[in-house]
Amino acid sequence: MKKQWTKEELINFENEIGDLYLDNKLPFLFHLSGGNEEQLINIFKDIKEGDYVISSHRNHYHALLHGISSETVKERILNGRSMFIYDREKNFFCSAIIGGTPAIATGIALALKKKKSNQKVWCFVGDATEDSGHLFEAVRYVDGFELPCTFIIESNNRSVEATNEERWGKAAEYKWNSPSVIKYHYEITYPHARKPGMIDLSKSVKKTDEEYFPILKPQTFPSFNELDELDITYKNAVIQSMTELSKKGAVFIGYNVKKGDAMGTLKDVPAEQKIETPVAENLMSGLAIGMSFEGFIPVIYFERHDFMLVAADAIVNHMDKIERISHGEYKVPVIIRAVAADAGPFYSGPTHSQDFTEGFKKLVNFPIFDPVTGVDVLKAFKTAQLSSGPVMIVERKSRY
């Protein structure tokens, strides 16, 4: 049974955290909650144990109200994890990246609906996420497919320090016409970050990045040398790999996965396992991340590297980092098919034929394979099936 917090208890908790800062105990970036106690207490009456709560960098109240103990929340804060509070058992997830969560929440909700679960997803966002197109596409998708997800916009008329009027002019107060959106207004107690006043950092103990968030140990995989003697073309190897994945229940996410079967590579995959998406690469990636949390094997199809830049936040800040920043509580076993349009019968121009393989190798720590032969393709996808984290496989049209 979750503790039933009172307004006074929530305020006292954040006051205690503020005092720790003034006592030089918190040489970190942190964001205090305050001013919205009554609204949150009322909203959390509808949130059941087992439901997902997706939060932001300002997450202390959400964590406490969803049943994470005050001792655990305080311990996380004292160890540099104020913006990184996770609890897999209680389905509590957060992201410190503005706009990063709505698509992930949508993916979780899609998975829950496919599983015919009674669970719901509650995604809390602030004014700055309301500014972003990521929220709009997530709300539209949730409404369109009637997914069990509610977005709660916590409006304090401030993004960092700028008001909505300063950022949006006459369009400052956006009116949502969606059954999936709850929006409330409040006056926040604290500044955007920390508390007023500068502490004496010379009296603080600050560890290294690796001490706060240990680097993940590299996974080891079989060599699959038994495949070396096979005679198979590059494209047939992709088709065979997709068919094998489909038999394991994988879902295939992207646009042109039904209409065109991803250049014919999904022709043997059952239609119900193909999720045709809007042309919204960040949403596609969030769907994959969220579905992976519920045990699905998502395969995202990007038909050009150029378009993947729209999904860079989801790939670099989320897929690549979630397991590490959650201390292993959440894993993201997503397979990325990254097609490089380096050939074809028609010229497609500089923004439709770029190759970002080396760039992604510098941006992420998960495995990236660039297979040359059909056998290489088979090995790459077999490795991806065994991975507990994300894997990117570059496919080149010139090798098809």
Side-chain angles (χ1 to χ4, degrees):
M1 181 67 70
K2 291 192 296 186
K3 172 180 168 56
Q4 301 302 304
W5 286 80
T6 66
K7 176 181 178 179
E8 292 72 24
E9 288 173 326
L10 290 171
I11 292 171
N12 289 339
F13 180 87
E14 288 297 65
N15 284 340
E16 182 183 355
I17 301 304
D19 290 342
L20 289 171
Y21 170 68
L22 297 176
D23 197 28
N24 306 306
K25 296 288 196 306
L26 302 178
F28 322 114
L29 182 60
F30 64 93
H31 306 78
L32 294 172
S33 303
N36 58 342
E37 295 83 9
E38 292 178 357
Q39 293 96 325
L40 285 177
I41 288 171
N42 188 53
I43 289 169
F44 270 84
K45 290 177 182 177
D46 292 327
I47 300 177
K48 298 179 172 58
E49 292 188 41
D51 283 356
Y52 277 85
V53 168
I54 313 298
S55 186
S56 65
H57 54 283
R58 196 180 308 280
N59 56 44
H60 301 170
Y61 280 177
H62 303 149
L64 294 170
L65 289 165
H66 199 46
I68 301 177
S69 72
S70 57
E71 294 80 12
T72 297
V73 175
K74 182 177 176 181
E75 182 271 332
R76 298 284 196 274
I77 295 168
L78 283 166
N79 282 283
R81 296 169 62 187
S82 172
M83 298 191 292
F84 310 97
I85 296 175
Y86 299 88
D87 192 312
R88 175 72 268 198
E89 184 179 331
K90 298 185 185 301
N91 290 334
F92 188 86
F93 178 89
C94 68
S95 171
I97 300 296
I98 294 298
T101 56
I104 296 173
T106 304
I108 298 170
L110 178 59
L112 293 176
K113 182 170 183 177
K114 284 185 174 292
K115 294 169 75 171
K116 296 180 170 55
S117 171
N118 291 323
Q119 294 166 269
K120 288 190 63 176
V121 183
W122 304 79
C123 182
F124 291 83
V125 301
D127 297 79
T129 296
E130 188 183 22
D131 288 351
S132 76
H134 294 332
L135 178 62
F136 282 77
E137 61 194 28
V139 170
R140 186 176 178 184
Y141 197 90
V142 164
D143 287 350
F145 291 98
E146 299 181 313
L147 303 182
C149 182
T150 299
F151 299 95
I152 302 97
I153 301 171
E154 304 179 298
S155 176
N156 55 35
N157 192 28
R158 189 181 73 189
S159 178
V160 186
E161 299 300 338
T163 66
N164 293 342
E165 290 75 14
E166 290 172 312
R167 300 194 314 280
W168 289 104
K170 293 180 180 180
E173 183 55 39
Y174 186 81
K175 302 294 184 183
W176 289 86
N177 181 24
S178 166
S180 305
V181 174
I182 296 171
K183 184 176 180 178
Y184 72 85
H185 299 79
Y186 74 107
E187 185 172 343
I188 193 166
T189 308
Y190 296 99
H192 168 67
R194 298 183 295 275
K195 283 186 69 170
M198 185 62 187
I199 65 173
D200 186 351
L201 289 171
S202 68
K203 295 180 180 179
S204 299
V205 177
K206 190 158 55 173
K207 302 176 186 178
T208 65
D209 182 62
E210 289 76 13
E211 287 176 306
Y212 289 122
F213 299 98
I215 301 295
L216 300 176
K217 294 180 180 179
Q219 298 181 72
T220 57
F221 302 102
S223 62
F224 299 107
N225 288 334
E226 67 275 11
L227 302 175
D228 286 344
E229 301 305 315
L230 290 179
D231 181 15
I232 187 169
T233 67
Y234 191 95
K235 185 169 184 178
N236 283 341
V238 175
I239 294 170
Q240 180 176 315
S241 298
M242 296 304 100
T243 305
E244 288 179 1
L245 279 162
S246 73
K247 291 177 179 177
K248 294 191 174 184
V251 290
F252 300 83
I253 300 170
Y255 45 88
N256 295 331
V257 297
K258 281 188 177 179
K259 307 294 184 180
D261 284 322
M263 295 190 295
T265 59
L266 301 179
K267 65 184 182 68
D268 297 324
V269 174
E272 62 271 17
Q273 289 174 246
K274 292 181 276 193
I275 301 173
E276 187 77 18
T277 69
V279 181
E281 288 82 0
N282 188 82
L283 176 64
M284 288 160 47
S285 304
L287 292 177
I289 294 170
M291 294 190 79
S292 76
F293 291 171
E294 278 295 305
F296 284 84
I297 307 169
V299 181
I300 317 175
Y301 175 69
F302 292 107
E303 63 177 27
R304 297 179 191 273
H305 280 205
D306 315 73
F307 306 160
M308 293 175 68
L309 294 187
V310 182
D313 170 59
I315 295 170
V316 177
N317 285 324
H318 291 90
M319 282 186 207
D320 184 55
K321 306 294 189 301
I322 285 172
E323 184 175 355
R324 182 185 173 205
I325 60 179
S326 71
H327 282 224
E329 296 232 16
Y330 284 85
K331 297 181 185 295
V332 191
V334 170
I335 300 172
I336 302 172
R337 293 181 59 189
V339 178
D342 59 347
F346 301 101
Y347 174 65
S348 54
T351 61
H352 279 56
S353 57
Q354 297 176 90
D355 178 1
F356 295 131
T357 305
E358 294 306 314
F360 276 113
K361 285 181 178 179
K362 293 178 180 179
L363 289 170
V364 302
N365 294 298
F366 59 73
I368 297 178
F369 295 98
D370 188 0
V372 175
T373 68
V375 168
D376 292 340
V377 169
L378 295 177
K379 289 182 177 182
F381 280 107
K382 285 185 179 297
T383 299
Q385 291 179 44
L386 296 176
S387 178
S388 62
V391 172
M392 183 186 296
I393 299 170
V394 176
E395 299 176 27
R396 300 185 180 276
K397 286 189 176 181
S398 61
R399 294 172 183 159
Y400 268 38

